Amino acid sequence: MARSSSLGRECGTPRSGLGKGGPPRPQGPQARCTLGRRCTVSGKCRRPRPSWTMAPLRNVVKIAIQMRDAIPQLIQLDQAKPLAAVLKEVCDAWSLTHSERYALQFADGHRRYITENDLEAEQLLGGLQSDSREGRREALRRLVPLASDMTFAREVISRNGLQRLGTIIEDGDDLGEVLALSLRAFSELMEHGVVSWETLSIPFVRKVVCYVNMNLMDASVPPLALGLLESVTLSSPALGQLVKSEVPLDRLLVHLQVMNQQLQTKAMALLTALLQGASPVERKHMLDYLWQRNLRQFIYKNIIHSAAPMGDEMAHHLYVLQALMLGLLEPRMRTPLDPYSQEQREQLQVLRQAAFEVEGESSGAGLSADRRRSLCAREFRKLGFSNSNPAQDLERVPPGLLALDNMLYFSRNAPSAYSRFVLENSSREDKHECPFARGSIQLTVLLCELLRVGEPCSETAQDFSPMFFGQDQSFHELFCVGIQLLNKTWKEMRATQEDFDKVMQVVREQLARTLALKPTSLELFRTKVNALTYGEVLRLRQTERLHQEGTLAPPILELREKLKPELMGLIRQQRLLRLCEGTLFRKISSRRRQDKLWFCCLSPNHKLLQYGDMEEGASPPTLESLPEQLPVADMRALLTGKDCPHVREKGSGKQNKDLYELAFSISYDRGEEEAYLNFIAPSKREFYLWTDGLSALLGSPMGSEQTRLDLEQLLTMETKLRLLELENVPIPEQPPPVPPPPTNFNFCYDCSIAEP
C-alpha cells in the first residue's frame, strides 16, 4: 500500500543532526506528497554516494516529495544513504539552504516524521521475519542494544515489534542465542511502560514458564525467562497466579542452587515476587515449605557467605525476603489479647507457673477460690504486669499477642534465665526491680519498630540482617537477647520504675547500634550488644555531641568572632547589589485593589533610590526612564510593620494583618516636612533583603532573620575551610603560653651590609 510523505517548511530552531531522539517537528505549514513505497533508509551506512543512480538497484526506490509553493520531485532514493544526506540533496534541488531545519513527514494517516530511528526500526523488524536463522540472529543482535532507547522502542512497538518477538519466543525453534536475544529485546521494550504487562497472552506466559522448567537449553535463557516472569508477576495479579501455579517452588530451588550469580539473583527475584503476590496464609505455607527444604541454610552458607561479593540486586531481594519473613508476625502484633479466650488465659497461667510454680503451689494449696485468685493477681503483679488482670496490659496493639508469644518463648527456651530474671526482681525491696512483663511488652514494640514489622517493602532498600538467615525463630531469639539486655542495663543505670522510659531509650540505642553493624550470627550479636554497656553508650553520646558541637570550642569561637566583620561586609555587599537590581512592588489602594505596580532600585553609586510606575508584564525599566529620585543622604529612618504610615492608615482589621510582616517605609526630608516612601514587599525574603539593604545605607545594623541565617552558613563554611589542614589534630581549649621575654634586647641587624 502506497504511503505519502512531505517535506516540512523551514522551522525556527535548527538541529545539528538526526540522533535517537529524532528531528524537531517543523512549526510552519506542511506540504504533502506521495510516496511510491515505504521509505526504509538505513542509518548505518555513512559513506556518501555521488548520485542516487549509482546505488545498487535493490537499495533504490522511487518516492515523490512535495512542498507548498514548489514543484514536486520524483526522486530515486538510496536506502543505504544517511537521512541527512537525503534531505541535503532534496533541499539542493529546490535551492533551499539550511537543510538541517527540514524534515520528511508521511502525508497520509498518522503523518509521522521520518527519523533515523523510524527507518532503522523498519529495517530491523524486517530482518526478524527473515527465512534465514542467521538473518534473524543478526537483526536481534542489532535490536537489543537499541531497545533501551525510549524513542526507538516506541517506533518498534508501533510497528508490531512486540508481536514479532513474541512469535519467535512462542515458536521456540532455536533454544540458543536467538531465543536469548528475543527474550532480552522483549523485556527491554516492555520496561518502557508503553505496553502493559497485563496484555500478555496466557499461551505466551506459559511458553516462557516452559523455558524456566526445561533443562536442555542455552545457559543464558533461564535468567532472562525468570526476569520476564518476575515482571509479569509484579505487574499482573492474574498472570502472577498463573506463574505461581506453573512454576514449582522446587524448580526455583534448583536454580538457586546453581552456582551462577545471575541465575541465583533472577530466581530469588521471581521467588520474592511470588511471595509478595500471595495471600498471608499462602505466603506462610510457602515459607514453611521453603524452610523445610533448607532454603534458609543455603542462603546463609552459599549466598551470604559466598566468596564472590554480593550484588546490589541480590541484597535487595534478601531484604524483601527478610521483610516478608517478619511480616508473618504482623497478625499477632495487630491482635489484642481476648480475655474470654480459654487458650490465652491458659498461656498466661503457664507463664505465671513457670516463674512461681514452687512458691505458688506450696502457698496456694488448700486455699479458697477467692484466696487463690488474690494470690494469682499478686503473682502477676510480681511478674511485672501493671494491672492485676494481665489481659488489660496485652490489649494494646501493637504489640498485642506478639508480646505474649515472646514471653512464652523465653520462659520455655531459656527457663533458667527466665526464672532468675523474675525471682531476682520480684524479691527486691529497694524499688529497683525491673518489671519483666512491662519490659517485654515495650521491648516487643521496640523490636517491631527497629525491624519495620508490618511496613511495606521499599523498592530500593538493601539493609537486610544476615543473622536472620542464620537462625530459626530469629525474632523470638532476638527478643531473648534483648530482654536480658534490658535487665542488665537496668542494673547498670540503677533505675527505678520512674526511669523506665529512660532505660528503654538506652536499650533502643544499644539494639539499633548493634543491628547497624550487621552481625552475621546471633551469638555475634549477643557479644556485641552486651559489650555496649550503659557507660559505653554515654561515652559514644558524648563523643558524637562533641563532634557535632565542635564549633563551640573556645578557639573556634574566637576564630568565628574574627571572621564575622569580613562576612558581614560580604552580606552587606550582596544586599546592596540586590537593591541595585531593583524589585517590582504593588501599590495598595483604599479599596485594596492590588492593580498598580511600581519599580524601585538603587543607583550603582549607592547615592539615589530611583522609582516610578510601570505596567503589568513590562520588562524592568532602565535607570534613565525612572522619573522619581530619593537621595540617600535625605533618608532619616527605616520603619517596619505597624509603625509604617500606610499600614496605620488601614487600621488594625483582620484583613490588614497579612500586610504587617511585609510592610516597610523610609522617612526622608522634603523641605520642611517629613515624607515617607512606602513599600509592600512581594515576599518575606524580599522584605528581609530590602530592609537589610536600607539599614546598611543608613548605617544601621542588619538584624533580619535572613542575615542571621546567611551569617551562620558563611561562618560554618569558612570555619570548616580554615580547619581543613587541622583534621584529626586536637584543638586545645587554651592558647599555648607565651614564653618569657629575653633577658635583654641588645640585638640588631644592619640591612646595609650585603651578605656574601
Side-chain angles (χ1 to χ4, degrees), residues 611 629-631 634-639 643-646 648-649 664-679:
Y611 56 95
Q629 295 182 348
L630 171 59
D634 293 344
M635 293 166 47
R636 295 178 55 186
L638 173 67
L639 307 176
D643 296 331
C644 299
H646 60 307
R648 282 202 307 266
E649 293 169 0
F664 62 97
S665 302
I666 301 172
S667 64
Y668 63 95
D669 294 327
R670 185 169 62 185
E672 298 295 330
E673 300 178 354
E674 182 179 23
Y676 297 93
L677 184 61
N678 300 318
F679 299 79

Side-chain angles (χ1 to χ4, degrees), residues 287-471:
L287 285 171
D288 288 343
Y289 179 78
L290 292 170
W291 291 170
Q292 291 173 7
R293 297 300 305 273
N294 298 322
L295 175 63
R296 179 188 61 75
Q297 292 90 330
F298 179 82
I299 292 174
Y300 186 73
K301 294 178 181 178
N302 299 93
I303 296 180
I304 294 177
H305 290 286
S306 172
M310 183 184 300
D312 292 343
E313 189 177 354
M314 177 60 83
H316 170 69
H317 295 313
L318 291 182
Y319 153 79
V320 174
L321 184 58
Q322 174 184 300
L324 295 174
M325 290 162 48
L326 293 172
L328 297 178
L329 303 171
E330 184 180 7
R332 300 289 288 179
M333 183 185 73
R334 304 289 183 193
T335 305
L337 185 138
D338 182 4
Y340 301 103
S341 170
Q342 180 65 27
E343 178 187 1
Q344 294 171 15
R345 288 202 303 268
E346 290 176 356
Q347 289 176 336
L348 286 171
Q349 292 300 328
V350 167
L351 194 66
R352 179 189 66 82
Q353 292 170 5
F356 305 107
E357 181 178 0
V358 177
E359 178 185 351
E361 291 300 323
S362 60
S363 60
L367 296 178
S368 64
D370 291 340
R371 182 62 179 164
R372 181 177 291 275
R373 281 196 297 269
S374 175
L375 178 63
C376 288
R378 188 170 73 248
E379 289 178 346
F380 277 125
R381 293 297 295 267
K382 286 184 177 182
L383 200 56
F385 286 98
S386 301
N387 301 280
S388 55
N389 182 4
Q392 296 178 352
D393 292 57
L394 294 169
E395 287 176 351
R396 170 188 171 191
V397 289
L401 292 176
L402 185 57
L404 179 59
D405 295 341
N406 278 333
M407 288 187 282
L408 285 171
Y409 186 90
F410 181 51
S411 66
R412 290 167 178 168
N413 292 273
S416 59
Y418 170 68
S419 299
R420 184 167 58 252
F421 186 116
V422 175
L423 297 176
E424 178 183 290
N425 287 283
S426 62
S427 59
R428 297 186 66 142
E429 301 292 340
D430 55 359
K431 298 183 179 180
H432 288 285
E433 65 277 6
C434 178
F436 170 76
R438 184 185 177 190
S440 298
I441 293 171
Q442 191 59 36
L443 178 62
T444 304
V445 174
L446 192 155
L447 289 174
C448 290
E449 291 175 353
L450 290 176
L451 300 174
R452 300 182 179 89
V453 175
E455 294 185 12
C457 297
S458 166
E459 295 183 0
T460 57
Q462 304 172 10
D463 53 339
F464 72 96
S465 296
M467 69 175 180
F468 281 97
F469 296 94
Q471 180 73 46

